[in-house]
Amino acid sequence: MSSLEQIESVEGILNKHIPEGEREEVLKILYGKETKPLDLPLSALSIAEKNNFEIKGYSFTAAPEQLRSPRIVRVGLIQNQIVLPTDRPIKEQRDAIHQRIATIVKAAAEGRVNILCLQEAWTMPFAFCTREKKPWCEFAEPAEDGVTTELVKDLSNQYNMVIISPILERDGNHGDTIWNTAVVVSRGRYLGKHRKNHIPRVGDFNESTYYFEGNTGHPVFQTEYGKIAVNICYGRHHPLNWFMFGANGAEIVFNPSATVGELSEPLWGVEARNAAIANSYFTCGINRVGTERFPNEFTSGDGRPAHQDFGHFYGSSYVAAPDGSRTPGLSRTKDGLLIVEMDLNLCRQVRDSWGFRMTQRLDMYAKSMAAVLEPNYEPNIIS
């Protein structure tokens, strides 16, 4: 294990080494307006302590308005390691993760979470690096009524919660095709799904072996708590992907991910936060934790020797607000639940203040992009 993997959190290092008198100013520069710690009930804290996962809570505020009441929503983000080794039977692996997540969801309910999002492909190891079809395709299941969706329906109904459940989907109506899909369930009812728009082909992340780019566009789900969308993993690297969810009215965009330190960690704290600023909505980045070792060696096509794992998933899940502020991240090494209270009125307040929507030039961009797509396009370079 490298020294990087042993770092518990960046925030812990800052708190340990920056003098108290300077710490507040440093954190303001790094993270924007302070997010206040959120008092969590003892029942939630007790579940976390008993079951060995981290739990943290923060709150974003908005200015009081005369004509609108506050629109207070609590979101929950869960990051977790796999529970059993990857060589155990598929059903045992899936059932163990189901049981683990059900326990953490109970803590989220005790913390009065309204909307909960799980990490990308949460029911399984992130086996797409192996490019092996057997046995990993057995984790795929129907989005509407698969065993995982039925579990999530029960939890959602029991706790009066909206739950976003990213799974490996098998579409039996279209030739058993496989998709990387986020299922949205509201109070026990299947609300809809979104399929991952952008598929990586970098290093070990050659996921097009299993599924192609999604065909669901940029849907926004109207829930009783607000309008939400799901930008799955690699889509966070594409600014226009974030933009389209905002154009369709999203107020909170969740980014369930699975990404490792050497590949992407310098980008992690930047991309979702930039999207929150540019699109005047809240963003929620969720990354799994741990190192997953597979039975067979695989290669990446990048000259590295064959290997059985592809690095450390660094957790660090966080929430960013449209004013550029953000919460501290969860641990880089532990399972965790982040509970964040937010006032959705902040979205419009930031739009009024900065005017990004009003000053954007979509007409100009649309014309230029249409020209770029033409085969005879020539870049507008003046020399």
Side-chain angles (χ1 to χ4, degrees):
M1 178 178 291
S2 72
S3 60
L4 180 64
E5 292 177 31
Q6 297 170 5
I7 294 174
E8 180 64 28
S9 72
V10 172
E11 292 82 11
I13 294 174
L14 293 175
N15 290 333
K16 181 178 179 180
H17 294 287
I18 298 179
E20 185 173 354
E22 299 174 354
R23 189 182 308 147
E24 182 178 349
E25 192 65 22
V26 169
L27 292 176
K28 183 189 300 183
I29 294 170
L30 291 177
Y31 286 175
K33 184 178 66 177
E34 181 184 7
T35 50
K36 301 291 186 181
L38 186 64
D39 288 331
L40 299 175
L42 290 177
S43 55
L45 299 175
S46 176
I47 293 172
E49 182 177 11
K50 181 179 178 181
N51 293 279
N52 192 32
F53 63 88
E54 180 184 33
I55 184 170
K56 288 186 176 180
Y58 301 95
S59 64
F60 294 100
T61 60
E65 298 187 18
Q66 297 183 43
L67 299 180
R68 290 195 305 174
S69 300
R71 300 176 60 213
I72 305 298
V73 177
R74 283 199 181 189
V75 301
L77 316 181
I78 294 178
Q79 64 177 43
N80 63 279
Q81 305 175 59
I82 58 174
V83 178
L84 297 180
T86 59
D87 59 358
R88 294 288 290 273
I90 298 298
K91 186 177 186 303
E92 290 184 13
Q93 292 187 57
R94 187 190 65 199
D95 289 352
I97 293 176
H98 278 183
Q99 183 176 356
R100 174 67 166 166
I101 294 303
T103 299
I104 303 178
V105 173
K106 178 174 174 58
E110 292 293 325
R112 303 195 304 278
V113 165
N114 305 120
I115 308 172
L116 181 72
C117 188
L118 307 175
Q119 67 194 23
E120 183 185 21
W122 70 273
T123 64
M124 62 182 291
F126 209 75
F128 313 125
C129 57
T130 69
R131 298 187 295 283
E132 299 170 337
K133 297 299 182 70
K134 185 179 180 180
W136 314 119
C137 288
E138 293 188 49
F139 279 102
E141 57 184 281
E144 293 78 7
D145 56 4
V147 63
T148 296
T149 299
E150 292 304 313
L151 168 66
V152 170
K153 286 178 182 176
D154 290 342
L155 294 171
S156 171
N157 185 57
Q158 180 180 355
Y159 299 129
N160 296 323
M161 198 183 288
V162 173
I163 300 180
I164 301 167
S165 172
I167 63 167
L168 189 63
E169 177 196 1
R170 183 178 295 281
D171 185 355
N173 291 332
H174 296 89
D176 275 341
T177 51
I178 292 177
W179 303 92
N180 186 320
T181 299
V183 177
V184 181
V185 173
S186 178
R187 290 185 178 263
R189 179 177 67 90
Y190 170 84
L191 187 60
K193 65 187 176 185
H194 172 56
R195 291 167 172 162
K196 186 172 180 175
N197 278 335
H198 298 275
I199 308 303
R201 295 163 177 83
V202 53
D204 286 322
F205 290 85
N206 277 287
E207 299 169 30
S208 58
T209 304
Y210 298 86
Y211 40 76
F212 284 166
E213 285 74 12
N215 58 3
T216 53
H218 297 87
V220 171
F221 300 92
Q222 177 69 69
T223 75
E224 61 187 293
Y225 305 113
K227 295 189 284 293
I228 66 173
V230 192
N231 182 5
I232 303 173
C233 197
Y234 195 72
R236 75 181 179 276
H237 304 308
H238 295 268
L240 289 178
N241 207 45
W242 290 105
F243 165 78
M244 283 306 304
F245 291 118
N248 284 333
E251 297 170 299
I252 310 171
V253 180
F254 295 87
N255 178 229
S257 297
T259 184
V260 294
E262 292 185 8
L263 179 68
S264 67
E265 196 160 12
L267 310 179
W268 177 251
V270 176
E271 289 169 312
R273 190 177 180 190
N274 281 350
I277 297 167
N279 298 288
S280 302
Y281 52 44
F282 288 91
T283 59
C284 306
I286 309 101
N287 185 29
R288 67 173 61 198
V289 286
T291 301
E292 300 172 358
R293 188 171 177 84
F294 294 93
N296 301 319
E297 290 185 336
F298 52 89
T299 58
S300 306
D302 58 4
R304 286 196 297 156
H307 43 283
Q308 288 179 273
D309 72 76
F310 64 129
H312 173 69
F313 295 106
Y314 51 82
S316 307
S317 302
Y318 72 99
V319 174
D323 63 1
S325 58
R326 57 154 287 182
T327 69
L330 287 178
S331 166
R332 295 182 72 261
T333 61
K334 297 179 181 176
D335 289 7
L337 167 64
L338 178 63
I339 299 177
V340 177
E341 185 173 275
M342 56 186 65
D343 186 344
L344 296 184
N345 282 352
L346 186 61
C347 297
R348 182 192 288 178
Q349 291 178 8
V350 171
R351 290 191 193 107
D352 288 347
S353 176
W354 278 98
F356 291 149
R357 292 291 185 91
M358 183 170 59
T359 57
Q360 64 188 2
R361 295 294 308 278
L362 298 187
D363 54 341
M364 180 175 64
Y365 300 146
K367 182 178 178 181
S368 298
M369 290 175 67
V372 168
L373 293 174
E374 293 299 322
N376 60 349
Y377 174 74
E378 294 184 7
N380 183 16
I381 300 174
I382 300 173
S383 60

